[in-house]
Amino acid sequence: MQSRVSDIDSHLTIPPTDWYQSLTAAGLLNPEVHGPARYWLQVEGSFTRALQKQCSHSFHVEVRREGFATPTQEEARRLRIPHRQHAWIREVSLCGDNQPWVLARTVIPLKCLEGEGRRLLHLGNRPLGAYLFTSPHWQRGPLETGLCRPVIPGQPELARRSLFSGHNSSLLVGEYLLPALFQRNTL
Ligand SMILES: C=C(O[C@@H]1C=C(C(=O)O)C=CC1O)C(=O)O
C-alpha cells in the first residue's frame, strides 16, 4: 500500500479497535461515548456532509495510504471474504478548516471493484461519501461503535463503522474521531 503521509501527520495512525454493536454496549465500558463524541458516533447520512456543515472555511480529504493489501482477520470476517484475499484499502484524513478531524479506513473487496465499482480505485481526494450517497444501489448497514486502544498520544479513542452493501458485495467504512473534532465547542 502506498503511503503519502507527511512527517507532521505521521503520528496520526489508527490504533487497534474493539467493535460493539451499539453505542449503549460500548458505553458500558467507556462512558465517554455519551460525551461530546456522541453526536458524531450516531450521525446518519453522509459523514462528509455532517463535517462540512461544521467547517468555517474549508473541508478536504487527504489520502494517507491507498492500495491493494490484506485486510485484518477481523475485517475479512466482517466482510465475509477469505482471510488472505487482497482488498483495496483506502486510509484518509477528513480535514475541517485545514485540521485533521477524522481518520477513515475503508476496506473495499475485489468484488466491489467490478463494473462501475472500478471508479473506487480513482477517487483520489474526492470523498467516498459523494460516491456512495449519490449512487442508488448502496445501502448502509447498522452503525457499530468502536473503542480504540491508543498506543501513542493523540491517536483516536472512539470510532464508528458500517458496512455499505451494493448489488452483490459490501465494503467496510471505519471513521476514527480525533480529539480536535470535539475541542471546538460548536455542537
Ligand atoms: C462514507 C463516507 O465517506 C467519507 C469519506 C471517506 C473517504 O473519502 O475515504 C471515508 C469515510 C467517510 O466518512 C461519508 O461521507 O459518509
Side-chain angles (χ1 to χ4, degrees), residues 1-2 66-70 86-89 108 110 113 121:
M1 219 182 350
Q2 265 190 357
E66 198 171 36
F68 285 103
T70 317
H86 272 188
W88 183 255
I89 300 184
I108 307 174
L110 298 178
L113 299 169
L121 298 170

Side-chain angles (χ1 to χ4, degrees), residues 117-184:
R118 270 195 306 257
R119 285 169 52 195
L120 290 164
L121 298 170
H122 308 289
L123 286 175
N125 290 346
R126 278 167 299 167
L128 171 70
Y131 171 82
L132 293 176
F133 288 95
T134 51
S135 167
H137 54 255
W138 291 100
Q139 296 265 345
R140 170 180 251 151
L143 276 171
E144 292 172 73
T145 302
L147 301 181
C148 309
R149 285 176 271 123
V151 276
I152 47 173
Q155 279 188 322
E157 293 185 14
L158 301 172
R160 47 181 265 153
R161 169 173 99 161
S162 50
L163 280 178
F164 283 81
S165 302
H167 286 313
N168 55 4
S169 51
S170 303
L171 54 83
L172 186 61
V173 181
E175 291 143 335
Y176 300 78
L177 314 184
L178 292 166
L181 183 63
F182 321 124
Q183 285 160 2
R184 298 161 325 102

Side-chain angles (χ1 to χ4, degrees), residues 46-48 61 90 92 94 104 106 126-129 132-133 173 175:
S46 167
F47 202 61
T48 306
V61 173
R90 170 177 164 87
V92 304
L94 305 175
T106 303
R126 278 167 299 167
L128 171 70
L132 293 176
F133 288 95
V173 181
E175 291 143 335

